[in-house]
Amino acid sequence: MSELIDEVKTKALAPAQAKRQSVTARIQGRAVVNGDRGSLRRLLWALVDNAIKYTPAGGHIEIGLTSGSEVVQVTVQDDGMGIPEDLLPRVFERFFRADPSRGEVEGSGLGLAIAKWIAEAHGGSLTAAHAPAGGTVFTVRLSPSGPLEILGG
């Protein structure tokens, strides 16, 4: 997973720099997950792309990775506008936008729904919560397994 995080971080640098945002990765240990590499990359990109879109100029986005014997956890945290508490459960619905003014942001409203589907298709979960310092934190939990980091493309 650390290689995928590096790939997604690299892809995020140009759009984030255009908004004067910083993107960092905090990787703790080596995480091993069997799954479809392209799908997992798409899941991570959907979360980071969402953070870039909804974090104001000068904001910060952090991608985190921790690994234990029972779970591999990836977080994408931003210090953006956040999502109202009552709307957090709905952010994974297709075409849902928490704020009508978010219609100004490009996108189909499918990214987070697809990301959740990919996480669940890999036997994991995806949740959203308020970040402690403001903004939003998305958390992906997957089961560690096997000797191969990621199978496929």
Side-chain angles (χ1 to χ4, degrees), residues 108-124:
S108 63
L110 292 173
L112 294 178
I114 291 169
K116 185 170 181 73
W117 179 85
I118 292 169
E120 291 173 351
H122 284 80

Side-chain angles (χ1 to χ4, degrees), residues 37-62:
R37 183 180 186 87
S39 294
L40 292 170
R41 184 184 307 110
R42 185 172 185 180
L43 183 161
L44 294 176
W45 176 248
L47 299 178
V48 172
D49 183 51
N50 190 73
I52 292 168
K53 288 176 182 175
Y54 296 109
T55 298
H60 179 72
I61 298 152
E62 180 180 89

